[in-house]
Amino acid sequence: MSKNIIYQTPHEALGYEFVPKAYLPEGKNEYYLRDLQNRSGIAYRGLTAYEIERLVNNGNTSDNWNHILVSDAFNPDLVKNCAFFGLVRIGKLEPVCLGFSDLKMPVGLYHSTIISCDFGDNVVISHVNYMSHYIVGSESMLINIHELVATNHAKFGNGIIKQGEDESVRIWMEICNENTGRKVMPFNGMLPGDAYLWSRHRDDEQLQKTFQRFTEERFNDKRGYYGKIGDRTIIKNCSIIKDVWIGSDAYIKGANKLKNLTINSGPEGLTQIGEGCELVNGIIGFGCRLFYGVKAVRFIMASHSQLKYGARRINSYLGNNATISCCEVLNSLIIPAHEQHHNNSFLCAALVMGQSNMAAGATIGSNHNSRGADGEIVMGRGFWPGLCVSLKHNSRFASFCIITKGDYPAELDIPLPFSLVHHDVVNDQITVMPAYWFMYNFYALARNAAKYGDRDKRTEKIQHLEFDYLAPDTAEEMLKALDIIETAVGEALLAQGEKLPAGKTPAQLGKQSLLSGNKKIDALPIIVKGFENSKRKTQLLKVTAAYKAYRQMLLFYGLRALIELLEEEECGSMRQLVQSIPSLPGKSSWHNIGGQLMSEKTLQELLRKIRTRGIRSWEGVHAFYQQKGEVYAGEKQAHALAVLQKMTGVKLRNLRLDTLHDWLDTAKKIQRTIAGSIRTSRMKDYENPFRQMLYENEAEMLQVLGDPNDNSFLREQEKINRQFTKRVDRIRLRLKK
C-alpha cells in the first residue's frame, strides 16, 4: 500500500539551505541570486539589543536574532506575534496606515510565519500563515494568506527546466491541435506572432530547435530564485500562492490557488485577479483582469485581456485586448481582439485569427469525428459563429465568415470572405452568400474595425495589428473569390445548355456574363465543389450582387490607396503622380502572423534569418516585427495599387488625367454608398415592425434604444464621408496634366 512520504529535517535547518550545495556555484552562498533580485537599495543592519527585547515582548520568535536584518528606520513595535526562520530583511516601518479602496491596515508585520524573506519599506504583512522565500516591494499589503511560498526550482510559468530536473517536468503549451503536435514552450513576453510561428512549420526540425533555444536562452537554469511581489501590490484573502512572480501595483483578492505563474503588472497596465480563481502554469500580461471562479492551466494571457465568470482555459494562448467569459477554451491559439461570452460556448483545437466573436451555444471542435484526437479549425479574422453552431474538425474559413445556427455534419472549407454560411436542412445542402457583410451588415463590419483599434490598450506595440477589413489578406481572398464565382457561374451556364465560345474557359464565360449583367444567372443554381466534405451540394446565393460587391470593395481598396499617395506626395500633375508610384508587387499571398500581416516574401525573409542566425533571439524576432510594422503602410499601399491596376486593367504609369478624374468620382460614390449602407444596416433595428412592436410609440422606442441621430459611430461615419469628399475635391483642384 502506498503512503505519503514524510521526511524529517533538524529544526534549526528551517529557512536555510534553500539551494542544495550540489547546485551552488563555487564561492557562492545560498543568497547570491536573492541578492541580485533585491533591487530595493535599502541598507540593512543587525538588530540592537533593545530591538530584540521589544520584539520578544511583542510575542515574536526567531531561530537566530542575528539573522534578522533591518533598515535604520525600523520600528520593532510594529512587529507582533511573528515567527521568523532563516535570514529575514525588513525595511522601514513607520506608525502609519496604508489604505487601498476600502481596505485600511497599519504598517507592520503581524501574526505571520516568515521564512527567509526580504521586505521593502512600510509593508503590511498580516496573518500570512506560511511565507517562505519571497522578496516583497515597498508599500505592499499581504493580508490573510494561507500559504505563500517559492521553491528553489521555481520557473514562474516559463517552459524551462532547472539544474537536475528531468525533461518530463517541462511545461509545454499544446495549442492549435489536441494531439500536442503544435505544442510550444511558454515564456514571459511571448507575442501572438511568436506562438503562431512556432506552432507552424513543424516539419522544419532546425527551425523548431531554434525556437526552443531562443526560449531557453532567455533564462538560466540556476536554482535559488525567490518569488517576487512588486511595490504597492495588494494580496488579500487568498489560499495558496506558490512559485509566483508578481509585478507592481497588482491587486489579488480571494484567489484559491496561484501556482507557477508570472503576473505582469505595473505602469504598462495594472493586473487584477479576483475571487475563486485557480491558475496554474501560466503567464499573465500587463493590464489583465481575471475574476469570479476562473480556471486556467498551461496558458498565456497577452496584455489587456480578460477572463471572467467561470471561464476555463487549458493549453491556450489568448491574444491582446480579448475577453472570454463563462466559456471553455482548450488547445487554442487566439490572435488579438477576440470576444467570447455565454456559459455554453466551447472552443477546442483552433487557430482563431482575431477580431472574432463566439455566440452562445457555439461548439467549435471536440466532436471526435475521427479515431484520433481532435484535429484543427483555422478561422480567418472576423470569424463569427452564430447561436448553437457546431463545427467539425478539420475546417477552414476565410476572413469575416459568419455562420448561421446549425449542426454542421461535415468538415467545411469556405474560401469566400465576408460570407454568410448556412446549413439548409430542408434542402439538405450548404448555402453560402458571398459578400454578405458588404450587402447587409456594413454597420457591424465598420464599427468592429473602429472598435478594435480604439480598444488596443497596448503601451508597447511591438506587433502592428491590422484591424481594417480592407487589407492585403482580405483583398487576396476577394480576388480568389472572384475566380471561384466566375468558374461556378460559367459551369452553371454550361449545365443549362449555353455554348462555350471557342478558346474560352468556363471561368471566362462566367466573368463575361457577370460583367454584362446576364439576368439568367440569378435564376440558376450556382454550385461549388470542395466546400464541404460530403456528397451534398453547396450552393452560392445572390452571386450577381456579391460579385459586384467584391469588385466594388476591391476597387475602393485600390482607389483609397491612390488618394493617399496623391495626398502624401502632394502631386500637382500626372507626371508627379507617375513618378511617385512605387514598385508594385506581382501576385502575392499574405499571412496573419499573430495579427500582423506579412507578405510571403517578408515571412520567408524572417524564417531565413532565423535559420541562418541572422536573428539570434526572440528579441531579434520582435525587432523584425517592429521593423516590418514601420514599413507595412507602404507595402499595403503598393499592394492596393497593384489590385487597382488589376481591377481596372489600366497600368498606373500610363494613367490619363481624365481617367483619374473618373476614378476620383467613383471613389466618392463608393464612399457615399458605404456610409449609406452603414446607416441603413443600423436603421433595421428601428424600422422593422417586429422591432417596433414592443414599444407603445416611437418616442418610447427611441428612449429605450437611443436615437440613431445621436449615435456617435454614425455621426463619425458621416463626418468621414464629408471629409473624404473634401479630400478628393482638393486633389482634383490641384491636379493638372
Side-chain angles (χ1 to χ4, degrees):
M1 180 180 291
S2 61
K3 299 179 181 179
N4 289 339
I5 300 174
I6 304 297
Y7 59 91
Q8 295 183 354
T9 57
H11 183 274
E12 61 271 16
L14 182 58
Y16 302 96
E17 297 184 4
F18 181 58
V19 184
K21 292 181 180 179
Y23 301 115
L24 277 177
E26 186 176 351
K28 301 290 187 181
N29 62 28
E30 64 170 300
Y31 307 122
Y32 81 104
L33 291 176
R34 171 182 178 177
D35 292 338
L36 290 174
Q37 287 181 274
N38 189 336
R39 302 182 180 93
S40 67
I42 298 172
Y44 298 102
R45 59 168 175 79
L47 292 169
T48 65
Y50 169 77
E51 289 170 333
I52 294 173
E53 181 182 0
R54 295 299 301 155
L55 288 169
V56 172
N57 290 340
N58 286 337
N60 301 291
T61 63
S62 173
D63 65 310
N64 188 334
W65 290 111
N66 292 326
H67 291 171
I68 307 296
L69 304 181
V70 298
S71 76
D72 284 336
F74 172 74
N75 185 338
D77 291 327
L78 302 181
V79 181
K80 298 178 180 179
N81 300 314
C82 291
F84 296 100
F85 300 90
L87 176 64
V88 176
R89 300 187 286 204
I90 306 170
K92 176 169 59 177
L93 295 179
E94 297 177 304
V96 297
C97 291
L98 297 185
F100 177 80
S101 188
D102 295 327
L103 176 69
K104 185 180 290 186
M105 293 286 288
V107 161
L109 285 67
Y110 307 102
H111 308 286
S112 299
T113 297
I114 297 169
I115 302 170
S116 194
C117 293
D118 289 349
F119 300 96
D121 291 333
N122 286 333
V123 297
V124 174
I125 310 296
S126 178
H127 291 88
V128 181
N129 294 343
Y130 183 84
M131 181 175 183
S132 172
H133 298 93
Y134 261 83
I135 299 171
V136 180
S138 297
E139 296 188 323
S140 288
M141 304 172 70
L142 311 183
I143 302 162
N144 193 20
I145 301 171
H146 292 166
E147 179 181 338
L148 176 61
V149 60
T151 63
N152 67 53
H153 51 81
K155 294 167 277 291
F156 308 114
N158 296 293
I160 57 174
I161 55 177
K162 293 293 186 173
Q163 292 170 328
E165 289 188 316
D166 188 78
E167 178 65 31
S168 62
V169 306
R170 188 190 299 274
I171 297 299
W172 291 88
M173 190 168 59
E174 298 161 1
I175 57 176
C176 297
N177 193 302
E178 207 177 26
N179 69 8
T180 78
R182 295 195 185 276
K183 64 183 180 180
V184 301
M185 286 162 40
F187 61 87
N188 189 27
M190 184 180 232
L191 298 178
D194 305 337
Y196 175 84
L197 287 174
W198 198 343
S199 69
R200 306 289 108 182
H201 318 288
R202 304 308 285 198
D203 58 331
D204 190 331
E205 187 176 349
Q206 177 193 355
L207 188 67
Q208 294 297 314
K209 287 182 177 179
T210 300
F211 288 143
Q212 181 164 343
R213 176 172 56 81
F214 283 178
T215 304
E216 290 173 332
E217 288 177 352
R218 289 176 67 88
F219 311 93
N220 65 54
D221 64 352
K222 294 182 175 64
R223 290 178 178 246
Y225 283 96
Y226 278 40
K228 289 195 72 174
I229 297 172
D231 295 341
R232 299 173 302 280
T233 283
I234 295 90
I235 306 175
K236 66 177 186 178
N237 303 326
C238 294
S239 184
I240 299 172
I241 301 175
K242 183 175 182 180
D243 289 347
V244 180
W245 187 102
I246 305 170
S248 68
D249 304 286
Y251 182 32
I252 301 173
K253 57 177 180 175
N256 292 341
K257 183 174 184 178
L258 307 178
K259 180 181 178 183
N260 191 28
L261 304 171
T262 291
I263 302 173
N264 291 287
S265 184
E268 299 91 334
L270 310 186
T271 292
Q272 297 185 14
I273 298 175
E275 294 83 354
C277 290
E278 296 171 6
L279 314 173
V280 179
N281 301 335
I283 310 289
I284 299 170
F286 289 98
C288 288
R289 301 285 187 272
L290 302 92
F291 290 117
Y292 310 128
V294 166
K295 317 298 180 187
V297 180
R298 299 191 182 212
F299 69 100
I300 288 182
M301 292 178 67
S303 66
H304 305 286
S305 55
Q306 300 185 70
L307 296 177
K308 301 185 293 186
Y309 307 120
R312 288 89 67 202
R313 288 186 59 222
I314 302 174
N315 281 310
S316 296
Y317 186 109
L318 181 63
N320 311 81
N321 311 304
T323 299
I324 295 178
S325 297
C326 312
C327 317
E328 186 168 2
V329 177
L330 313 173
N331 305 98
S332 294
L333 168 55
I334 301 173
I335 286 170
H338 173 77
E339 296 289 326
Q340 185 172 351
H341 309 275
H342 317 294
N343 192 43
N344 49 355
S345 286
F346 184 86
L347 179 65
C348 181
L351 169 59
V352 187
M353 306 294 272
Q355 296 159 255
S356 40
N357 196 310
M358 291 268 293
T363 300
I364 310 301
S366 199
N367 297 291
H368 292 283
N369 54 320
S370 73
R371 285 165 289 280
D374 276 341
E376 303 178 30
I377 294 183
V378 177
M379 313 167 207
R381 61 190 182 99
F383 183 74
W384 196 323
L387 294 171
C388 300
V389 164
S390 178
L391 298 175
K392 299 289 190 291
H393 289 100
N394 294 334
S395 289
R396 179 173 58 181
F397 299 89
S399 302
F400 295 95
C401 280
I402 186 167
I403 319 295
T404 65
K405 179 178 179 179
D407 183 2
Y408 292 78
E411 301 89 335
L412 297 173
D413 186 8
I414 309 297
L416 305 178
F418 305 100
S419 61
L420 175 69
V421 181
H422 172 59
H423 184 204
D424 184 353
V425 178
V426 173
N427 297 303
D428 192 28
Q429 65 178 5
I430 297 293
T431 61
V432 179
M433 188 187 300
Y436 162 82
W437 288 92
F438 298 140
M439 296 190 289
Y440 297 107
N441 205 7
F442 226 126
Y443 177 86
L445 185 65
R447 182 176 176 273
N448 285 345
K451 175 181 72 176
Y452 292 130
D454 292 341
R455 292 181 181 179
D456 186 4
K457 298 178 182 178
R458 297 173 300 154
T459 55
E460 190 177 19
K461 298 184 178 181
I462 295 173
Q463 288 201 264
H464 177 89
L465 303 180
E466 177 62 271
F467 298 122
D468 192 352
Y469 55 87
L470 290 180
D473 59 338
T474 54
E476 288 295 329
E477 288 176 332
M478 283 191 280
L479 289 170
K480 182 180 178 182
L482 293 178
D483 293 339
I484 292 171
I485 292 173
E486 288 164 0
T487 299
V489 168
E491 290 176 346
L493 290 169
L494 292 175
Q496 292 297 312
E498 191 158 331
K499 300 297 183 183
L500 185 65
K504 296 285 187 180
T505 64
Q508 290 171 325
L509 173 62
K511 181 176 182 178
Q512 181 182 2
S513 298
L514 286 160
L515 292 176
S516 66
N518 189 338
K519 294 184 179 180
K520 292 182 182 178
I521 296 172
D522 287 331
L524 296 178
I526 309 299
I527 307 302
V528 289
K529 298 176 181 177
F531 281 43
E532 185 186 42
N533 184 24
S534 77
K535 296 180 180 180
R536 302 191 305 169
K537 292 180 180 179
T538 299
Q539 183 173 347
L540 302 186
L541 305 178
K542 301 193 176 185
V543 293
T544 302
Y547 186 79
K548 180 181 178 181
Y550 277 145
R551 289 186 61 86
Q552 180 174 260
M553 297 314 297
L554 283 166
L555 183 60
F556 188 65
Y557 173 60
L559 290 174
R560 192 177 63 178
L562 182 62
I563 290 166
E564 290 169 357
L565 179 65
L566 286 162
E567 289 178 323
E568 291 166 4
E569 300 297 330
E570 298 183 349
C571 297
S573 68
M574 294 303 294
R575 181 180 178 184
Q576 283 181 291
L577 172 59
V578 170
Q579 290 175 341
S580 301
I581 293 172
S583 177
L584 303 184
K587 185 175 178 59
S588 61
S589 59
W590 285 73
H591 301 271
N592 185 338
I593 311 299
Q596 179 171 357
L597 299 187
M598 290 186 189
S599 67
E600 174 68 20
K601 180 181 178 182
T602 299
L603 175 59
Q604 292 306 320
E605 177 189 353
L606 171 59
L607 297 177
R608 176 180 55 78
K609 287 185 174 181
I610 294 172
R611 293 186 186 105
T612 60
R613 291 182 174 264
I615 291 176
R616 296 175 174 268
S617 65
W618 284 117
E619 287 77 13
V621 174
H622 297 173
F624 186 92
Y625 293 156
Q626 287 188 299
Q627 175 195 350
K628 294 304 177 181
E630 290 168 0
V631 301
Y632 169 71
E635 291 180 335
K636 179 179 179 179
Q637 184 181 80
H639 179 268
L641 294 174
V643 169
L644 176 62
Q645 196 165 260
K646 178 179 177 63
M647 295 305 298
T648 61
V650 176
K651 288 191 175 296
L652 296 184
R653 296 191 184 279
N654 299 331
L655 183 62
R656 295 167 53 90
L657 181 60
D658 56 347
T659 302
L660 177 57
H661 279 296
D662 289 342
W663 285 3
L664 294 175
D665 288 339
T666 299
K668 289 199 298 184
K669 182 179 178 181
I670 297 174
Q671 176 60 46
R672 284 196 301 271
T673 300
I674 291 173
S677 297
I678 291 171
R679 185 172 186 83
T680 298
S681 59
R682 182 67 180 100
M683 291 305 295
K684 292 176 185 176
D685 291 335
Y686 294 86
E687 296 170 349
N688 188 308
F690 284 85
R691 301 278 183 161
Q692 297 172 344
M693 67 184 181
L694 297 181
Y695 308 103
E696 293 294 331
N697 50 52
E698 182 181 3
E700 184 187 16
M701 180 179 69
L702 294 180
Q703 188 67 32
V704 173
L705 299 181
D707 191 333
N709 294 316
D710 295 332
N711 183 299
S712 60
F713 180 74
L714 288 179
R715 291 203 307 269
E716 179 64 22
Q717 292 304 304
E718 290 164 359
K719 179 180 177 182
I720 289 172
N721 182 43
R722 292 193 300 270
Q723 290 176 337
F724 187 87
T725 299
K726 290 178 180 178
R727 290 167 57 199
V728 173
D729 289 344
R730 282 195 295 268
I731 291 171
R732 293 186 60 140
L733 289 172
R734 189 172 65 236
L735 276 173
K736 300 176 182 177
K737 290 187 179 180

